[in-house]
Amino acid sequence: MKRFGIILSIILTASVILLTVGCSTSSGGEVGYSDERQGTVNQNEYVLYQNVFYNGYAQNFDGKSVKKVGVFAVLHDAFNDLDRYYVWGYRDSTKCCDWQWEFTPKKGQKLPAVGSLVTVEGTFVSDEQALDNYWIKDAIVTTNTIYTGTTYDVNMYVMSDTLERVQLINLQRFPDYFKDQTFIAYGRIKTMTSFQDPYYDGSWYYEFTYDGTIPGIGKTVVLSGTLTDGALVVQTLEQID
């Protein structure tokens, strides 16, 4: 368990690639499957994230109260048989780099739909159970904008590219855990049977099956369907670039 957790942690902190995600920042707004995706942009948050997880600043914030505003996502950690909660966003409008903070919600809270814009407030602490050894504990989650798109068992469409990459590793290594679950994902067409990282070649790719028409190589798409034996059986594929 520890070895695989370390692998996921390395991937999560070493990959800072980012893709767009649907999210309106106006109170009461809606986000749908085909809406133009804007997401949350915060360069200072990205710099802080880099300093904490790359430059050894984490101990300076251990035990301190923190407040984060971003998109709510749930990573299904099959290895540890639990769901991990994240608030995340972009560095800037180029959407090339992302930041994400894991948190544990305060007991008894009702969380909004994944993809919602939220404010997360809690205490940043070290903990071996956190994927990157730190998380925001007992967080109060306030919903700023509710995501109203279609719901899926595994929603990678509302994840950062970093989180999507980690989720795909889970799907590949633990197919029985996700058997017959619905999914939605995004990326660029790599071949007629695979898609890859939306921005960088060689970062990651994943196979899929689809009976419909597939856009040209390099086109950015959203794919949805059912997980079967670790494979993405796509029912809907939409080009979004």
Side-chain angles (χ1 to χ4, degrees):
M1 179 177 72
K2 210 55 177 162
R3 182 173 181 271
F4 188 73
I6 291 172
I7 292 172
L8 286 186
S9 178
I10 291 172
I11 291 171
L12 188 57
T13 56
S15 177
V16 290
I17 304 164
L18 178 51
L19 169 74
T20 59
V21 63
C23 192
S24 167
T25 57
S26 60
S27 177
E30 295 185 354
V31 178
Y33 176 85
S34 299
D35 287 356
E36 181 179 357
R37 297 177 299 167
Q38 297 177 0
T40 300
V41 174
N42 190 325
Q43 186 171 7
N44 290 335
E45 198 68 67
Y46 176 78
V47 172
L48 177 61
Y49 172 77
Q50 291 286 303
N51 283 333
V52 166
F53 290 108
Y54 291 94
N55 299 325
Y57 286 21
Q59 292 182 350
N60 296 339
F61 295 93
D62 197 351
K64 300 292 181 63
S65 296
V66 296
K67 179 178 181 180
K68 311 295 181 184
V69 178
V71 178
F72 173 51
V74 176
L75 175 68
H76 304 286
D77 181 353
F79 187 85
N80 294 295
D81 191 22
L82 56 82
D83 287 339
R84 296 185 180 276
Y85 305 101
Y86 285 88
V87 54
W88 71 274
Y90 309 124
R91 180 185 66 183
D92 54 38
S93 59
T94 65
K95 304 182 179 72
C96 71
C97 305
D98 56 26
W99 49 265
Q100 46 270 308
W101 303 95
E102 185 177 2
F103 69 89
T104 63
K106 192 174 181 65
K107 187 176 181 179
Q109 277 200 100
K110 184 177 180 180
L111 297 173
V114 295
S116 297
L117 181 69
V118 297
T119 299
V120 174
E121 298 180 78
T123 305
F124 187 73
V125 297
S126 60
D127 195 315
E128 290 185 354
Q129 296 183 52
L131 198 55
D132 288 311
N133 295 318
Y134 286 90
W135 57 18
I136 302 170
K137 187 176 181 180
D138 294 332
I140 300 295
V141 181
T142 303
T143 304
N144 303 328
T145 305
I146 298 175
Y147 180 87
T148 59
T150 304
T151 59
Y152 296 86
D153 296 319
V154 182
N155 193 332
M156 292 174 280
Y157 181 69
V158 298
M159 291 181 181
S160 68
D161 185 37
T162 298
L163 293 176
E164 182 181 32
R165 182 181 182 185
V166 176
Q167 187 65 80
L168 287 168
I169 292 173
N170 274 267
L171 301 184
Q172 185 178 54
R173 297 197 179 191
F174 303 94
D176 291 342
Y177 190 89
F178 299 96
K179 183 177 176 59
D180 298 328
Q181 293 189 17
T182 59
F183 77 90
I184 186 169
Y186 62 82
R188 285 179 300 143
I189 295 296
K190 178 178 173 63
T191 69
M192 292 300 99
T193 60
S194 67
F195 71 112
Q196 66 174 329
D197 186 287
Y199 290 105
Y200 300 100
D201 294 337
S203 173
W204 59 261
Y205 75 92
Y206 207 95
E207 299 286 336
F208 67 87
T209 61
Y210 181 56
D211 292 334
T213 302
I214 298 175
I217 304 298
K219 297 297 183 182
T220 304
V221 296
V222 176
L223 317 87
S224 61
T226 304
L227 295 158
T228 305
D229 297 326
L232 305 182
V233 180
V234 176
Q235 277 91 50
T236 302
L237 189 153
E238 178 183 353
Q239 182 178 334
I240 58 173
D241 66 354

